[in-house]
């Protein structure tokens, strides 16, 4: 659409030709000599309706003596045009040579409307355009707004957008402005190619960048939409990836984009010059600061001789050294790394130079753009404040912390000069983003069956940096709700306080004969000891009870009830047996055992009623993973201990360690070694409950059913429940590899693995109340009772298998990082197992949010 100001420059020549008495039309510099004697107050104004006469006169600045010269008139004319208030501005000469300024005011915008926009709301477009309702209409501004709207659509991937402005005139010099939008379809990225890469495959590099190729499931995401800013950011991500892996000379020369009209999408090509890969040849520390020992910084170096040269590790080393020097009183110390390349040996000798920097102080910290987040939430991420010495390392750390909060779309900290040469002002520019989340999740697993969850969360509650979440779960075998709250800065210290309240119900299923109900509360404290090391302290108090169908609990070995009266279920009368559905006239002579019974520890838990557990615990976590969601390199170690017995009904010490090590191998194959172990120790006189034991299955060795490993009740007349163990260990080796024949964006990977482990040493209840009743380990000559109640020494005592056989398996898996959430399919074959273990060769699990 064409736009133009109604400023007719061609009229000047015509008027001059015929001798018209005109000083100058718009843009002209011609003024008759008689006009030069005019003053500002003598200027006459015509055509103004809203703009005051004095306002128009104020744009003409008189020279010495209060007179207007030619330059003042030209400047005033230009200034009036630049205000955007007028369609037309003319300067004429009236009677007696008086200067007459004739204006045609721009109309006032009555309303602004958008038509045809479905993907972007009116509110968002209204906030972006410069034209405003009840503001002055400007054709130049409308043209700019048209381009701005089109750019917004292009940022969302709609490059076929068409925006047409329409101006509808209204009475009283008013207009309505209508933007008609033809949105068009999304323009995706059809292919991503890499040129010049030899050290890393194109498949691996596609993992590094944020832009993805379009595929059948692209409608569920937006990463395949072409965004030039994102492509440019991908160049830096590729460069940083190479620098982290020893390629100190890498250059991402260009990111070429080309629109393919046949595919109706963009082809993106990254041109890379890798250079050589370097290792660290030597590390040295030098200082020009008096009395400062540079070698004392060696403990803060993140690089080692012989390791790959890693720019990120060098940067972290510089940051930690500079912060440590500041702690020692050298507030203006600056650490500058230097590198000397040995091109033949492919090594880099790194030198950390510690010098006295300029004595600069922070005058102010100005926050801009935090429309919702409170100032103190942002300022507490800084380790420096106004008046402190300026330390770039601490400022960079604050910027990284602010980004990690995930409250803002962007965060940038810059400096500007202060009131004097030794003062700087920190400018913190932010753009807020939505921090609330409402999700409906669904999933299915072979353990828990179908499962649905509805949750509402807010990670920046009331702009105070608080986290809150409420969720409700309802599934085939699992149900419950939970409430969580986190204060990340307890009493203004960098200590996170968390509060969790939950209720869970696990129903009986094909793997366990009993259900459990748990109601609990857990406060916790979290500390970041280092960037890769964290500590969590917690207290847990929860009430737990077992539920059973009546037919699985109608044989009770307790002769008397707690009040001392005889227990009718011990030697039931026909009337009592009939009232609870117990058959005394069974064909096998076992009475209540004829329809099966839950295992002795389960029935004992049931008879004990609700149990209260009060425990103190901690978790120490070491994490160097390169990516928490899809790791390819690094180590993750969790060590947990819980001490129960701080009040409550049970006491024990439970210790667990879990370690995972990832390493990239060849051709995008990632190796994983997983080691785990746990131990449960009895403390005090209270016996260990069966429910406190470790229960293991495919979480230890794949190919086995849930609760399918370890000690088990083997009484043929019981439900043969898993009893659990007090000790376990597990080891797993896995190779994860992509399907090279599929596009990277599909998110499919294959896995092959071998698992081994064991669970043993049951120490829970084994007898229950019958005089002379004994525990009967497997193969000790126990004979089944034929009377009701059973006679002492028969199989009414717990008969269980606690063999220490090593369980092992091999298998294959399919891992899908799908738009519906992470999904995993496993098929494993047990190689060795216990006689009474239960296997499950196929296993599936996954879920989604929508």
């Amino acid at each position: 659409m064409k736009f133009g100001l109604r400023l007719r420059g061609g009229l000047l020549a015509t008027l001059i030709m015929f001798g018209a008495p005109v000083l100058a039309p718009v843009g002209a510099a011609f003024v008759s000599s008689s006009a030069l004697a005019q003053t500002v107050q003598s200027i006459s104004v015509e055509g103004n309706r809203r703009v005051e006469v004095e306002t128009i006169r104020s744009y003409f600045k008189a020279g010495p003596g209060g007179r207007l010269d030619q330059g003042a008139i030209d400047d005033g004319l230009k200034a009036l045009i630049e205000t955007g208030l007028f369609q037309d501005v003319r300067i004429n000469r009236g009677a007696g040579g008086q200067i007459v300024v004739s204006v045609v005011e721009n109309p006032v915008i009555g309303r602004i409307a958008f038509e045809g926009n479905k993907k972007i709301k009116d509110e968002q477009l209204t906030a972006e355009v410069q034209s405003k309702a009840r503001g002055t209409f400007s054709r130049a501004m409308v043209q700019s707004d048209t381009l701005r709207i089109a750019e917004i659509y292009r940022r969302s991937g709609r490059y076929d957008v068409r925006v047409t402005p329409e101006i509808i005139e209204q009475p009283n010099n008013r207009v309505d402005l209508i933007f008609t939008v033809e949105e068009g379809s999304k323009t995706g990225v059809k292919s991503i190619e890499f040129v010049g890469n030899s050290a890393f495959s194109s498949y691996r590099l596609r993992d590094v960048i944020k832009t993805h190729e379009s595929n059948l499931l692209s409608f569920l995401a937006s990463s395949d939409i072409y965004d030039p800013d994102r492509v440019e950011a991908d160049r830096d991500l590729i460069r940083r990836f190479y620098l982290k892996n020893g390629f100190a000379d890498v250059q991402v020369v260009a990111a070429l984009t080309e629109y393919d009209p046949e595919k109706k999408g963009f082809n993106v090509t990254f041109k890379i010059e890798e250079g050589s890969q370097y290792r660290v040849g030597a590390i040295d520390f030098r200082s020009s600061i008096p009395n400062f020992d540079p070698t004392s910084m060696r403990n803060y170096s993140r690089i080692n001789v012989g390791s790959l040269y890693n720019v990120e590790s060098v940067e972290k080393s510089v940051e930690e050294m500079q912060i440590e020097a500041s702690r020692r009183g050298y507030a203006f110390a600056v650490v500058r790394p230097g590198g000397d390349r040995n091109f033949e040996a492919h090594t880099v000798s790194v030198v950390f130079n510690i010098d006295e920097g300029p004595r600069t102080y922070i005058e102010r910290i100005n926050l801009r753009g935090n429309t919702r987040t409170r100032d103190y939430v942002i300022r507490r991420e800084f380790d420096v404040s106004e008046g402190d010495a300026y330390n770039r390392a601490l400022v960079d750390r604050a910027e990284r912390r602010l980004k990690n909060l995930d409250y803002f779309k962007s965060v940038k900290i810059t400096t500007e000069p202060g009131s004097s040469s030794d003062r700087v002002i920190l400018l913190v520019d932010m753009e807020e983003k939505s921090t609330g989340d409402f999700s409906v999740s669904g999933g299915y697993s072979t353990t828990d069956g179908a499962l649905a969850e509805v949750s509402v969360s807010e990670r920046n509650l009331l702009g105070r940096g608080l986290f809150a979440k409420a969720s409700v779960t309802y599934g085939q075998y699992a149900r419950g709700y939970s409430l969580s709250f986190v204060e990340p800065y307890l009493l203004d210290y960098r200590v996170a306080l968390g509060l969790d309240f939950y209720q869970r119900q696990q129903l009986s299923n094909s793997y366990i004969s009993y259900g459990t109900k748990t109601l609990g509360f857990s406060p916790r404290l979290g500390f970041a000891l280092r960037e890769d090391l964290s500590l969590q302290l917690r207290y847990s108090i929860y009430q737990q009870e077992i539920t059973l169908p009546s037919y699985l609990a109608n044989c009770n070995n307790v002769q008397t009830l707690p009040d001392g009266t005889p227990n009718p279920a011990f030697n039931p009368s026909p009337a009592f047996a009939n009232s609870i559905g117990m058959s005394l006239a069974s064909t096998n002579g076992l009475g209540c055992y004829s329809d099966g019974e839950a295992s002795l520890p389960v029935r004992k838990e049931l008879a004990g009623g609700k149990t209260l557990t009060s425990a103190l615990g901690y978790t120490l976590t070491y994490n160097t993973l390169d990516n928490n969601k899809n790791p390819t390199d690094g180590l993750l170690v969790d060590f947990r201990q819980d001490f129960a017995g701080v009040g409550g009904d049970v006491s024990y010490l439970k210790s667990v360690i879990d370690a995972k090590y990832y390493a990239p191998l060849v051709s995008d194959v990632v190796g994983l070694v997983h080691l785990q172990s746990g131990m449960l120790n009895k403390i005090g006189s209270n016996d260990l409950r069966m429910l406190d034991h470790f229960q293991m299955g495919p979480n230890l060795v794949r190919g086995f059913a849930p609760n399918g490993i370890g000690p088990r009740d083997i009484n043929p007349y019981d439900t043969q429940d898993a009893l659990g163990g007090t000790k376990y260990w597990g080891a797993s080796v896995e190779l994860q590899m992509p399907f090279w024949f599929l596009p990277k964006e599909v998110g499919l990977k294959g896995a092959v693995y071998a698992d081994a482990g064991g669970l043993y040493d049951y120490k829970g209840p084994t007898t229950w109340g019958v005089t002379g009743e004994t525990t009967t380990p497997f193969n000790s000559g126990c004979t089944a009772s034929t009377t009701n109640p059973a006679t002492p020494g028969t199989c009414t005592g717990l008969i269980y298998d606690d063999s220490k056989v090593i369980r092992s398996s091999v298998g294959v898996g399919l891992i899908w990082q799908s738009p519906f959430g992470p999904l995993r399919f496993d098929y494993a074959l047990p190689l060795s197992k216990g006689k009474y273990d239960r296997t499950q060769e196929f296993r599936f699990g996954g879920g989604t949010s929508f």
Side-chain angles (χ1 to χ4, degrees), residues 257-284:
T257 58
E258 181 183 6
Y259 182 76
D260 189 334
E262 293 184 0
K263 296 180 179 179
K264 294 185 178 180
F266 285 89
N267 299 323
V268 180
T269 302
F270 294 96
K271 297 184 68 175
I272 303 170
E273 293 180 2
E274 292 181 333
S276 300
Q277 189 178 41
Y278 293 86
R279 293 187 175 273
V280 178
I283 304 174
D284 194 12

Side-chain angles (χ1 to χ4, degrees), residues 292 297 320-331 333 354:
F292 187 93
M297 294 287 104
E320 293 194 7
M321 291 178 191
Q322 195 159 321
I323 292 172
E324 177 60 23
S326 178
R327 288 174 182 160
R328 297 182 184 182
Y330 300 91
I354 306 166

